[in-house]
Amino acid sequence: MALYRYVSGREDLLEAVVVRLLEGLVGRVDAARPTSWQQYLQLLAHEIRDVSLRHPAAFPLVVSRHPATPWLRPPLRDIETVEHLLATLTDHGFDDGRAVDAYKAFTSFLVGYLLLEVSMRVENVAAVEEPMNEGSADIPEQDDPDTGLYTAPHVLRMRELLSQDRGEEEFEIGLEMLLNRIEQSVSH
Amino acid sequence: MALYRYVSGREDLLEAVVVRLLEGLVGRVDAARPTSWQQYLQLLAHEIRDVSLRHPAAFPLVVSRHPATPWLRPPLRDIETVEHLLATLTDHGFDDGRAVDAYKAFTSFLVGYLLLEVSMRVENVAAVEEPMNEGSADIPEQDDPDTGLYTAPHVLRMRELLSQDRGEEEFEIGLEMLLNRIEQSVSH
DNA sequence: ACCTGAACACCGTTCAAGT
DNA sequence: ACCTGAACACCGTTCAAGT
């Protein structure tokens, strides 16, 4: 209860966690002195990915909490960060429309990749930490051959590939593709 | 309390909601008799987008609930749907590796775009429906010029563009780009 | 077969007392 | 200035009674 001296309640506490996770982000990107907008976005993307990997259980908060205003998009949830991003793109010759488009595509990309990457890890961690809170009875054990997999030969065959974690590679490829797309849009 | 006759508890209830939202999806895609894998993925993507737009408040559940097994990725959370997708890609000449890559990229794309699109709508709806549960005191009104925006000229200038909802277009463009990328990977 | 009141555990929050 | 016990409201869940 002592926490109530520092935060106004549960919501405020969670908000503070999110702020804490993201603080210093822009500063670290700046410190690396990127020379192109591509490098800038790449650095920023990796900083955020690092956050998500360091705090896999908390990262969903960053993504799912409502930002202060509806036009700020997770995981770039604060004005300072967005200002910095838009300013950087503008400096590199983006007009307003392309800059905003790039911001939106960039945030969607980050949410899509990082949320799924992180949720995979959290599930496994949680499964180990809490020893079956309600048993695996609710969720049918679908890797048990007689509950459904035998009617799903493709899934069965590709199971190894599906559970393989190539997060790093996939992230890199997706990011590269995104940058290419933005590059094309910026040169008409 | 009468619900406890039908579901085993809160978790089970939420799971049932998710199942309900997604049911019939594969069937509707099938009914449209897609002739290429591109068309198949496009139909599937639009079906899921329709779900998210019809149920913006419930859609985050689809995305954030742990699927039955860690190698199933939201929003394609059940074996039948994934089997159908993998089978379709295989039929169209994908090897296992590319099929799985396509599945992963496809789900990441859907999560990224739809979660952000939907969260924008929910916030506005919620803001209207519940008349200020804790006042706007916690969240500093950042569109008020003297709380931060005056130090963020780019954000201020692009504000209209940022809050514009071009969900449909953005989704279409992103999907097109994704399909192109998969196409390239499939032809080496 | 289905619903419901009362009770319980649990969690977020408040407040009056403690140091 | 900071922490804490007791109390309260609220929610998920159970169970014994109701029809």
Side-chain angles (χ1 to χ4, degrees), chain B residues 52-120:
Chain B
S52 78
L53 294 180
R54 272 200 303 271
H55 305 280
F59 193 73
L61 281 182
V62 179
V63 156
S64 58
R65 303 222 93 225
H66 305 321
T69 89
W71 36 271
L72 290 180
R73 301 159 61 98
L76 270 37
R77 301 170 19 98
D78 57 292
I79 289 197
E80 297 73 40
T81 308
V82 176
E83 174 66 16
H84 197 264
L85 183 142
L86 293 177
T88 303
L89 294 183
T90 301
D91 286 351
H92 285 279
F94 282 61
D95 64 34
D96 288 5
R98 327 266 185 183
V100 169
D101 283 352
Y103 167 62
K104 290 185 180 179
F106 188 64
T107 48
S108 289
F109 166 75
L110 290 175
V111 167
Y113 273 82
L114 298 183
L115 191 61
L116 291 189
E117 184 174 7
V118 133
S119 78
M120 237 174 254

Side-chain angles (χ1 to χ4, degrees), chain A residues 8 11-12 63-64 66-75 77-80 82-83 86-87 90-91 95-97 99-101 103-105 107-109 111-113 115-117 119-120 122-124 126 134 138-143 148-149 151-159 161-166 170 173-174 177-178 181, chain B residues 8 11-12 63-64 66-75 77-80 82-83 86-87 90-91 95-97 99-101 103-105 107-109 111-113 115-117 119-120 122-124 126 134 138-143 148-149 151-159 161-166 170 173-174 177-178 181:
Chain A
S8 77
E11 290 304 297
D12 193 28
V63 156
S64 58
H66 304 322
T69 87
W71 36 271
L72 290 180
R73 299 159 64 97
R77 301 171 19 98
D78 58 290
I79 289 196
E80 296 74 38
V82 176
E83 174 66 17
L86 293 177
T90 301
D91 286 350
D95 64 35
D96 288 5
V100 169
D101 283 351
Y103 166 63
K104 290 186 180 179
T107 48
S108 288
F109 166 75
V111 167
Y113 273 81
L115 191 61
L116 291 188
E117 184 174 7
S119 80
M120 240 173 249
V122 170
E123 282 170 272
N124 296 336
E134 45 194 61
D138 295 337
I139 301 159
E141 263 307 326
Q142 282 176 316
D143 53 79
L149 258 190
T151 47
H154 294 88
V155 173
L156 185 60
R157 175 163 40 85
M158 304 187 201
R159 215 172 126 200
L161 288 168
L162 283 167
S163 45
Q164 243 169 57
D165 185 9
R166 290 175 37 244
E170 286 165 23
I173 293 170
M177 177 185 74
L178 177 73
R181 172 190 156 199
Chain B
S8 77
E11 290 305 297
D12 194 28
V63 156
S64 58
H66 305 321
T69 89
W71 36 271
L72 290 180
R73 301 159 61 98
R77 301 170 19 98
D78 57 292
I79 289 197
E80 297 73 40
V82 176
E83 174 66 16
L86 293 177
T90 301
D91 286 351
D95 64 34
D96 288 5
V100 169
D101 283 352
Y103 167 62
K104 290 185 180 179
T107 48
S108 289
F109 166 75
V111 167
Y113 273 82
L115 191 61
L116 291 189
E117 184 174 7
S119 78
M120 237 174 254
V122 170
E123 283 170 90
N124 296 336
E134 45 194 61
D138 294 337
I139 301 160
E141 263 306 327
Q142 283 176 317
D143 53 78
L149 258 190
T151 48
H154 294 88
V155 173
L156 185 60
R157 175 163 40 87
M158 303 186 202
R159 215 171 128 201
L161 289 168
L162 282 167
S163 44
Q164 240 168 60
D165 185 9
R166 289 178 37 244
E170 285 165 23
I173 292 171
M177 176 183 75
L178 177 73
R181 172 190 156 200

